């Protein structure tokens, strides 16, 4: 028989578990999802061991179920994140995140002359490549790619 697994963060009764977040982007995920200003009970663990990611983080949000369009916003910083939907202590659904076709806010345009970098304008990008992320700015049309991607 398989040994029961020891959970480093307690199980939840219902809600969303976001697993396989790279430890170094945990706080970006928290900020992108607005978890720093919601009322739900949230527990998280970080620098947990992961064969795939080296060090991973996990977030458990009780009583909260996200829309796909909201959750996909984390794909830029946690492309391998796995979502587990929990009801009555059981995992009822597993989902992966997908880089959306457009990004609003979140990322900074790498062009210093872009209007978004000197006026209070929300950034907007068309995603021109999803694998090696490349974002085309709606305002200046310059490409911001993975290497110079900065999350606001
Ligand atoms: N989980 C939880 N509360 C529950 C059930 C599950 O917090 N009531 C968490 C587990 O701790 C785990 C994740 O949800 O981090 C997925 O659970 P499960 O599918 O049972 O674990 P694994 O088989 O390890 O999933 P995977 O290999 O797909 O990551
Ligand atoms: Zn721009």
């Amino acid at each position: 028989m398989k040994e029961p697994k020891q959970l480093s963060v307690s199980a939840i009764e219902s809600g969303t578990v976001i697993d396989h977040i790279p430890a170094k982007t945990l706080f970006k995920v928290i900020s992108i999802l607005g978890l720093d200003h919601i009322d739900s009970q949230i527990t998280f663990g970080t620098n947990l061991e992961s064969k795939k990611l080296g060090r991973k983080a996990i977030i458990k949000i009780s009583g909260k179920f996200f829309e796909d369009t909201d959750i996909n916003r984390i794909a830029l910083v946690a492309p391998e994140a796995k979502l587990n939907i929990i009801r009555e202590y059981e995992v009822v659904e597993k989902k992966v995140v997908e880089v959306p076709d457009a990004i609003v806010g979140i990322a900074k345009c790498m062009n210093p002359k872009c209007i978004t970098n000197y006026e209070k304008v929300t950034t907007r990008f068309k995603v021109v490549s999803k694998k090696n992320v490349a974002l085309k700015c709606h305002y200046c049309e310059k490409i911001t790619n993975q290497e110079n991607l900065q999350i606001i």
Side-chain angles (χ1 to χ4, degrees):
M1 213 179 83
K2 230 169 102 179
E3 285 286 312
K5 269 192 302 188
Q6 191 78 41
L7 294 188
S8 15
V9 183
S10 301
I12 58 171
E13 196 259 322
S14 90
T16 305
V17 172
I18 311 171
D19 199 357
H20 301 288
I21 300 167
K24 61 180 191 315
T25 62
L26 168 67
F27 289 96
K28 281 178 180 158
V29 170
I30 289 175
S31 142
I32 289 170
L33 293 177
L35 302 181
D36 41 356
H37 34 106
I38 64 167
D39 292 335
S40 315
Q41 276 191 20
I42 302 171
T43 50
F44 67 81
T46 188
N47 292 329
L48 308 174
E49 260 166 57
S50 158
K51 287 196 187 84
K52 255 203 269 172
L53 296 174
R55 293 290 171 100
K56 71 163 188 178
I58 187 165
I59 310 176
K60 303 189 178 189
I61 308 116
S62 293
K64 175 100 184 153
F65 303 94
F66 297 89
E67 298 291 336
D68 286 353
T69 50
D70 291 333
I71 209 75
N72 283 340
R73 289 157 51 87
I74 72 171
L76 286 185
V77 298
E80 298 188 68
K82 302 275 181 311
L83 264 81
N84 299 274
I85 313 303
I86 316 289
R87 293 190 194 271
E88 294 176 358
Y89 285 104
E90 297 288 328
V91 178
V92 294
E93 199 184 344
K94 284 184 180 275
K95 296 190 205 181
V96 292
V97 297
E98 198 190 305
V99 178
D101 297 326
I103 303 280
V104 178
I106 306 175
K108 184 172 150 62
C109 178
M110 58 84 76
N111 172 14
K113 291 185 179 153
C114 178
I115 186 166
T116 60
N117 285 317
Y118 59 86
E119 285 197 14
K120 229 174 173 260
V121 179
T122 305
T123 61
R124 274 169 194 279
F125 303 90
K126 185 170 186 246
V127 177
V128 289
S129 166
K130 293 197 180 189
K131 201 142 178 259
N132 285 308
V133 174
L135 309 174
K136 185 174 184 180
C137 179
H138 169 80
Y139 296 98
C140 71
E141 302 197 321
K142 291 275 187 298
I143 303 283
T144 297
N145 56 27
Q146 196 96 60
E147 293 78 66
N148 41 41
L149 183 63
Q150 248 185 287
I151 303 298
I152 300 171

